[in-house]
Amino acid sequence: YTALATPFTQAGELDQEGLERLVHFQIENGITGILATGTTGESPTFKWEEHDRVIARVARLADGKCRRIAGTGSNNTAEAMEGTGHALKEGVDAVLLVDPYYNGPSSLEIRKEYYEPIANAYPDLEMIPYIIPGRTGAQMLPQDLAILAENCTNISSVKEATGNLENMKLTRQYCGDDFHILSGDDALVFDIMTSPEIKACGAISVMSNIAPRSMTQMVNLLNDGKADDAQKIQSAMKPLLNLVVVTTQENTKFGPVSCRARNPLPLKTLMQILGMPSGPCRSPLGKMTRNGVDLILEAARSVQKDNPEIFQPLSEFFNVNIDERLNESEYWKDLIYEY
């Protein structure tokens, strides 16, 4: 599945036409599901009216063509409940609920005061917990996830973005072989799908915004037991998969600092360079440093040089010259902060 980026105009308004083109690009290239209004879609910056509008638009465009998933999580159970209800009315196939952020509930509280009430309120709608403690500052543990899955028949999968392989192994151990583990980390998809102790079945991916065909092919090959063929795609895409977060060392007049550009900033920077509908991120996300953009360009040029088939679907669909856009500074000169 693709965690879809939300395109904005330069003024920061929703780009409706661009959203449609992104959805059509995903479907044309064989994606099996689209997640709207996730972290990659910048849901924290949405007004609820915008949030509902994007879900409705994606649900309509993808109806009958791929699975439709809506990000409806919040740090407020009542708000997540309301957003989930709206998504259900739009006919989505599932919702993604991120662990409540900032408030700091325990694993037990997350299960009893958040996931269980929402799951019980909408028993016929599939719900996917999203475990990402690096962003939320909280985490539902594998033990509570297993209890949750036992108590709620509409919870049978998880988006795992802890980066902790031991946590994933416990999830498999406690939740059983029929439970679906989806990678929330592009760089780990191959590893945790081939791990006999984790046995992930797929991914909710960031870089499939740019390369949906290749990412889908890799996951399908892994599920078919063709790890050697999948490894070739993994190797070809690896420079891109490492761009979800870009960290650089920058010099200031007070000394060196580490600058971390987090998803979706690197993704949307590359999308703009490549000529896809994207626009800027909404504040407080802004731009990358020159060093960060240089890393993105280096990775993308490497992929284009060694494995041009990765970008070919993008080039054909959006009618862009990849080599030109990766080598002409006019395409990225306005995307850079100077420290």
Side-chain angles (χ1 to χ4, degrees):
Y1 308 148
T2 293
L4 193 69
T6 306
F8 298 119
T9 67
Q10 291 300 316
E13 300 300 319
L14 180 63
D15 177 1
Q16 298 273 14
E17 180 182 349
L19 181 64
E20 289 200 15
R21 294 177 71 203
L22 291 180
V23 170
H24 291 316
F25 173 59
Q26 293 292 318
I27 292 168
E28 184 172 299
N29 284 281
I31 206 71
T32 54
I34 296 174
L35 165 67
T37 65
T39 305
T40 306
E42 298 179 77
S43 59
T45 69
F46 283 3
K47 301 170 185 175
W48 269 104
E49 182 273 331
E50 291 177 313
H51 186 271
D52 296 343
R53 187 161 24 122
V54 171
I55 289 172
R57 193 71 168 253
V58 173
R60 179 179 61 80
L61 292 169
D63 187 16
K65 297 170 183 173
C66 68
R67 296 199 76 209
R68 301 159 302 159
I69 308 165
T72 59
S74 173
N75 67 340
N76 177 330
T77 299
E79 190 172 67
M81 185 84 74
E82 182 179 349
T84 300
H86 176 271
L88 177 63
K89 291 177 183 176
E90 296 299 338
V92 300
D93 301 296
V95 295
L96 183 78
L97 294 166
V98 67
D99 282 349
Y101 41 88
Y102 189 78
N103 299 358
S106 66
S107 178
L108 177 62
E109 289 170 302
I110 293 172
R111 174 169 63 84
K112 294 187 72 69
E113 303 295 338
Y114 182 70
Y115 286 116
E116 286 184 352
I118 300 171
N120 289 331
Y122 306 105
D124 297 325
L125 179 62
E126 180 185 346
M127 306 203 172
I128 307 171
Y130 177 17
I131 316 297
I132 184 165
R135 282 191 183 264
T136 63
Q139 180 184 347
M140 184 170 63
L141 299 171
Q143 293 89 337
D144 277 298
L145 177 59
I147 295 170
L148 178 66
E150 285 185 349
N151 292 345
C152 305
T153 58
N154 53 339
I155 295 179
S156 59
S157 58
V158 66
K159 181 182 179 184
E160 230 293 355
T162 64
N164 184 334
L165 299 183
E166 295 306 313
N167 191 83
M168 300 179 206
K169 291 175 184 177
L170 288 178
T171 295
R172 175 58 66 210
Q173 179 183 339
Y174 298 149
C175 294
D177 289 340
D178 294 334
F179 193 81
H180 303 296
I181 298 176
L182 296 161
S183 175
D185 186 333
D186 281 8
L188 291 178
V189 175
F190 184 89
D191 292 340
I192 68 175
M193 287 191 70
T194 54
S195 166
E197 296 175 283
I198 299 172
K199 294 181 288 188
C201 63
I204 298 179
S205 171
V206 173
M207 282 301 159
S208 59
N209 275 279
I210 287 171
R213 184 180 300 175
S214 295
M215 182 62 83
T216 300
Q217 288 174 342
M218 184 181 78
V219 168
N220 288 341
L221 287 168
L222 288 169
N223 279 326
D224 289 340
K226 299 176 180 178
D228 290 343
D229 292 334
Q231 176 73 67
K232 295 175 184 176
I233 300 177
Q234 154 74 9
S235 297
M237 288 192 63
K238 187 174 181 180
L240 295 180
L241 303 182
N242 291 330
L243 293 179
V244 175
V245 176
V246 174
T247 303
T248 57
Q249 294 299 311
E250 305 294 338
N251 292 317
T252 77
K253 65 180 181 180
F254 297 107
V257 297
S258 178
C259 187
R260 189 181 189 201
R262 300 185 72 176
N263 180 48
L265 180 54
L267 168 70
K268 293 192 80 174
T269 300
L270 182 53
M271 289 175 72
Q272 289 178 88
I273 292 171
L274 292 174
M276 299 176 69
S278 167
C281 291
R282 279 182 169 173
S283 298
L285 296 185
K287 300 179 182 181
M288 298 182 68
T289 65
R290 181 173 299 276
N291 288 334
V293 171
D294 284 345
L295 287 176
I296 284 179
L297 289 169
E298 180 183 356
R301 287 167 181 161
S302 171
V303 170
Q304 177 65 2
K305 176 178 178 290
D306 298 332
N307 300 99
E309 72 278 3
I310 301 295
F311 286 136
Q312 185 177 352
L314 185 160
S315 174
E316 293 174 353
F317 187 91
F318 294 105
N319 192 28
V320 293
N321 184 317
I322 301 296
D323 289 313
E324 176 186 320
R325 298 195 72 94
L326 291 178
N327 290 286
E328 297 291 338
S329 62
E330 64 182 286
Y331 296 114
W332 64 80
K333 62 184 176 63
D334 294 328
L335 307 179
I336 294 171
Y337 277 146
E338 297 293 346
Y339 229 113

